[in-house]
Amino acid sequence: MSESASMLKLMSWLSPVFPTGGFAYSAGLEQAVAAGHTADLETLHDWISTQISHGGLWNDAVLMSEAHRHAADPETIAELAELAIALCPAQERLREMQDQGTSFLQAAAHWINAAMLPGRGTPLCVAVGAAAGLEQIDRQLSITAYLHAFVSNQLQCAIRLSVTGQNGAADLLARLEPVIAGCGQRAAAATLDDLGSSAFVADTTSMRHETLEPRLFLS
């Protein structure tokens, strides 16, 4: 597959209009804003970059990389899905990963034979990694695009939560590009031995969101 064809496919799969329901989830950001952890551009930058470099998104990137490598092995993909579920720190985050993964796979069947794709409940990172691997899209490019989509969604949530406006979001997109690219490069060469996170505040914030009232997001 040509680079342009691969990029178009990733842009479709990770677009805000792709029916995964990502707009409904904040990955704990709403609680972080309510608790005062994230209140301006600088703290928002730190919040997102920490999740990518040291938090759950690093684990997602590693699991996606492994799913890409073993896309044609259903047994290994199932094991990776189970591992992703086991590593999830909060019930809402788990629902976010599994519901989006299931929705992604249903829509991805327009490109890939559904019989080749993982089953319902597969976390999003494993689902996207497997689909990209089956389509032979470059692993590093796939991971980097996945991380960029996460950042874009976080910034959209931040706009809705009045942490920043569109110009501030554009500023952070530019500043976070090196973080996204660096994580994508590291994850593409990583193995399961590289799993591990230390973003404990982000994890506990995801747990506390379950009792936040009122709220805009499901996580």
Side-chain angles (χ1 to χ4, degrees):
M1 183 181 299
S2 69
E3 184 177 349
S4 60
S6 295
M7 181 60 72
L8 280 172
K9 195 162 294 186
L10 288 172
M11 290 173 67
S12 295
W13 290 354
L14 299 171
S15 164
V17 301
F18 206 67
T20 56
F23 64 89
Y25 301 94
S26 80
L29 179 60
E30 184 173 24
Q31 178 63 43
V33 173
H37 298 308
T38 304
D40 52 30
L41 280 184
E42 293 311 312
T43 52
L44 181 59
H45 174 278
D46 292 346
W47 182 265
I48 297 174
S49 62
T50 296
Q51 289 198 71
I52 293 173
S53 300
H54 307 291
L57 264 293
W58 165 249
N59 283 340
D60 282 2
V62 174
L63 290 164
M64 183 177 172
S65 182
E66 283 291 290
H68 188 284
R69 287 191 185 95
H70 301 283
D73 182 352
E75 184 174 338
T76 300
I77 295 298
E79 291 174 355
L80 289 170
E82 291 178 2
L83 181 55
I85 292 169
L87 289 171
C88 191
Q91 179 61 37
E92 285 188 350
R93 180 78 171 120
L94 177 60
R95 183 175 65 175
E96 175 182 345
M97 293 169 60
Q98 289 188 292
D99 286 357
Q100 287 194 75
T102 296
S103 297
F104 172 83
L105 291 168
Q106 290 173 341
H110 293 294
W111 284 265
I112 306 169
N113 186 335
M116 300 175 64
L117 292 167
R120 292 180 59 86
T122 300
L124 183 63
C125 58
V126 176
V128 177
L134 288 170
E135 290 295 276
Q136 298 182 339
I137 302 173
D138 180 77
R139 182 163 56 250
Q140 183 173 331
L141 178 64
S142 301
I143 298 168
T144 302
Y146 178 89
L147 294 171
H148 187 274
F150 171 80
V151 170
S152 295
N153 191 68
Q154 286 280 278
L155 293 175
Q156 184 62 41
C157 291
I159 292 172
R160 293 169 66 186
L161 292 166
S162 300
V163 176
T164 185
Q166 291 182 321
N167 191 54
D171 176 23
L172 283 192
L173 268 178
R175 291 165 57 190
L176 286 166
E177 281 186 359
V179 178
I180 295 169
C183 183
Q185 183 177 26
R186 288 190 298 126
T191 68
L192 295 182
D193 290 338
D194 297 300
L195 286 170
S197 65
S198 56
F200 302 117
V201 173
D203 291 344
T204 57
T205 297
S206 291
M207 298 174 193
R208 292 194 178 105
H209 185 267
E210 297 174 9
T211 58
L212 179 66
E213 293 294 345
R215 55 183 172 176
L216 295 174
F217 299 98
L218 296 175
S219 69

